[in-house]
Amino acid sequence: MMRMRPLKVALLGCGVVGSEVARIMTTHADDLAARIGAPVELAGVAVRRPSKVREGIDPALVTTDATALVKRGDIDVVVEVIGGIEPARTLITTAFEHGASVVSANKALLAQDGAALHAAAEQNDKDLYYEAAVAGAIPLIRPLRESLAGDKINRVMGVVNGTTNFILDKMDSTGAGYQEALDEATALGYAEADPTADVEGFDAAAKAAILAGIAFHTRVRLDDVYREGMTEVTAADFRSAKEMGCTIKLLAICERSKDGASVTARVHPAMIPLTHPLASVRGAYNAVFVESDAAGQLMFYGPGAGGSPTASAVLGDLVAVCRNRLNGATGPGESAYAALTVSPMGEVVTRYHISLDVADKPGVLAQVATVFAEHGVSIDTVRQQGKDGEASLVVVTHRASDASLTGTVEALRKLDTVRGVASIMRVEGE
């Protein structure tokens, strides 16, 4: 039997995502009411520019006073899609204090202050849901914290930024350079006018922090995530990758150590075998590969950004939170009981592809091999090409720690026969 009094929703932000949330709430009102067990009513929309025409939204609902909106006391759910740290953080905690649960898409805030937000939600016996904060429409947060709650997750690795994946995919498929591919992404609307947050890995790092915290029941903040952008990836790197049967992706990787005592979270470009499922993720799509003890290997794939896909995730959370509200219950909150150590990047162990510019003369390979041996880094394969007194030397290692590889590279730079280190690329997914 349906409850007739509507559940009231306050919307903070009415941009690309917020306007789509409002549209779906209006056009699918009957379906949403049937699924929830009560009608949902858009009770207010907080914006910065009230004079802008917003199709389908009653102008009487629009306000610039977001604080007053979340303080009304009759709001059941606040949907926050304004992004950034402030005023979003204060508005969310104020919403909890005045009786509302919160649905958010704010990855930056959750990665930085997720623990405090969860504590505020718990203190006020309210929900905090944020499926839309990672990978757009792809159901990921809820499977990790609910469907896989009884399993032990060992690794989460994924392509979680559509802009960077579009650029790298274009470089791979056409042979274009980085700037050319970025220009095309910008022209098509996949890249912002200032693409720094995407191409330098900040966006993916925030998502990695959220994923690692949920997967490993450990508080992982943005500052704990190693971040390396993709602006230095070249067409030559892709040619080298193809020679190894690989492609290059900007990956977010969260993994548990073999002894189970620590975790790491990192974002960086990496070569990945063409046989790995993530290698086939094209264009602006996202995909996340999960490895666990009981379930084995799982992959979640779909559109990772955009108004409609992100709004889909927001509405899914809205339905869940509204159902909880009707039942007088709350869903799962933060699970940080494991409190595992977050290890630094230096302790990460993986394979490496190193390209060196060297003098084309006898004994160079022996010198280079000696440096690797002295630092405990085992060489898997070596490829050398030379012409007119100059040569390139490509070394692929067995698994080694980041710290030992860093020491190796520093020593290589001191050799008179090494003209420079052209590139260093990690090799993942093997």
Side-chain angles (χ1 to χ4, degrees):
M1 184 174 179
M2 185 177 296
R3 191 185 79 161
M4 295 312 296
R5 186 181 75 78
L7 293 163
K8 294 188 177 183
V9 178
L11 179 61
L12 307 183
C14 198
V16 173
V17 176
S19 59
E20 189 65 8
V21 169
R23 185 192 68 79
I24 295 173
M25 284 185 63
T26 302
T27 58
H28 294 200
D30 291 342
D31 285 340
L32 290 173
R35 294 165 191 172
I36 291 168
V40 287
E41 173 188 314
L42 188 59
V45 182
V47 299
R48 286 185 297 175
R49 295 184 294 275
S51 59
K52 181 179 177 180
V53 176
R54 294 172 172 84
E55 187 177 349
I57 296 178
D58 183 351
L61 297 178
V62 177
T63 178
T64 57
D65 194 344
T67 301
L69 179 59
V70 299
K71 281 184 173 181
R72 274 177 39 172
D74 64 336
I75 300 296
D76 294 287
V77 184
V78 169
V79 174
E80 183 272 310
V81 288
I82 57 177
I85 305 303
E86 288 291 357
R89 174 171 48 197
T90 299
L91 290 171
I92 289 173
T93 55
T94 301
F96 290 141
E97 292 165 359
H98 287 78
S101 289
V102 173
V103 172
S104 176
N106 197 330
K107 54 187 172 289
L109 178 57
L110 289 158
Q112 179 172 305
D113 288 323
L117 294 179
H118 275 292
E122 182 177 1
Q123 181 179 354
N124 291 281
D125 196 26
K126 297 295 177 287
D127 276 323
L128 173 62
Y129 276 46
Y130 44 91
E131 186 67 65
V134 181
I138 304 171
L140 183 60
I141 300 299
R142 201 168 302 160
L144 287 178
R145 72 176 185 177
E146 296 183 34
S147 304
L148 296 173
D151 206 344
K152 178 184 178 184
I153 297 174
N154 297 309
R155 197 177 206 218
V156 179
M157 179 170 71
V159 174
V160 295
N161 182 278
T163 299
T164 56
N165 198 61
F166 178 89
I167 293 170
L168 292 174
D169 184 38
K170 186 61 62 173
M171 292 175 71
D172 183 31
S173 61
T174 69
Y178 166 76
Q179 189 60 50
E180 183 182 350
L182 172 59
D183 290 344
E184 182 172 351
T186 303
L188 293 172
Y190 290 122
E192 300 287 347
D194 179 2
T196 302
D198 295 321
V199 300
E200 293 294 352
F202 291 101
D203 175 84
K207 295 169 182 176
I210 295 170
L211 291 174
I214 296 170
F216 306 130
H217 305 279
T218 294
R219 287 177 178 168
V220 179
R221 299 183 73 250
L222 181 58
D223 292 344
D224 297 319
V225 181
Y226 172 83
R227 178 193 54 79
E228 183 181 321
M230 49 161 277
T231 58
E232 300 301 317
V233 176
T234 65
D237 291 326
F238 273 100
R239 289 193 293 271
S240 294
K242 287 181 178 180
E243 291 174 357
M244 292 179 58
C246 293
T247 188
I248 298 172
K249 298 290 185 184
L250 184 75
L251 296 177
I253 303 172
C254 314
E255 56 189 351
R256 189 189 301 266
S257 63
K258 287 188 176 181
D259 64 8
S262 64
V263 298
T264 57
R266 50 197 166 102
V267 169
H268 53 72
M271 293 183 179
I272 187 168
L274 294 174
T275 54
H276 194 283
L278 289 177
S280 62
V281 180
R282 301 297 183 189
Y285 275 72
N286 283 193
V288 177
F289 196 74
V290 178
E291 300 176 37
S292 67
D293 277 1
Q297 298 179 333
L298 307 169
M299 192 165 94
F300 302 83
Y301 171 84
S308 293
T310 306
S312 171
V314 170
L315 267 295
D317 278 350
L318 179 63
V319 169
V321 170
C322 286
R323 287 171 175 170
N324 291 343
R325 192 86 172 182
L326 288 180
N327 293 325
T330 55
E334 183 188 34
S335 175
Y337 75 91
L340 300 175
T341 299
V342 183
S343 297
M345 185 63 185
E347 297 180 15
V348 170
V349 175
T350 189
R351 296 180 69 204
Y352 290 87
H353 176 283
I354 305 103
S355 180
L356 305 172
D357 295 326
V358 300
D360 187 13
K361 63 182 184 180
V364 172
L365 180 56
Q367 285 184 320
V368 169
T370 297
V371 170
F372 275 88
E374 288 174 347
H375 289 80
V377 180
S378 175
I379 294 176
D380 182 15
T381 62
V382 178
R383 187 173 69 255
Q384 184 173 7
Q385 294 177 328
K387 184 179 180 181
D388 299 329
E390 298 295 328
S392 63
L393 194 65
V394 176
V395 178
V396 180
T397 73
H398 288 290
R399 292 176 64 83
S401 72
D402 187 83
S404 62
L405 196 281
T406 298
T408 302
V409 172
E410 289 175 354
L412 288 170
R413 294 184 193 275
K414 296 177 181 178
L415 293 178
D416 292 338
T417 51
V418 175
R419 310 298 194 212
V421 180
S423 70
I424 302 172
M425 188 79 65
R426 296 171 182 87
V427 183
E428 301 286 349
E430 296 184 310

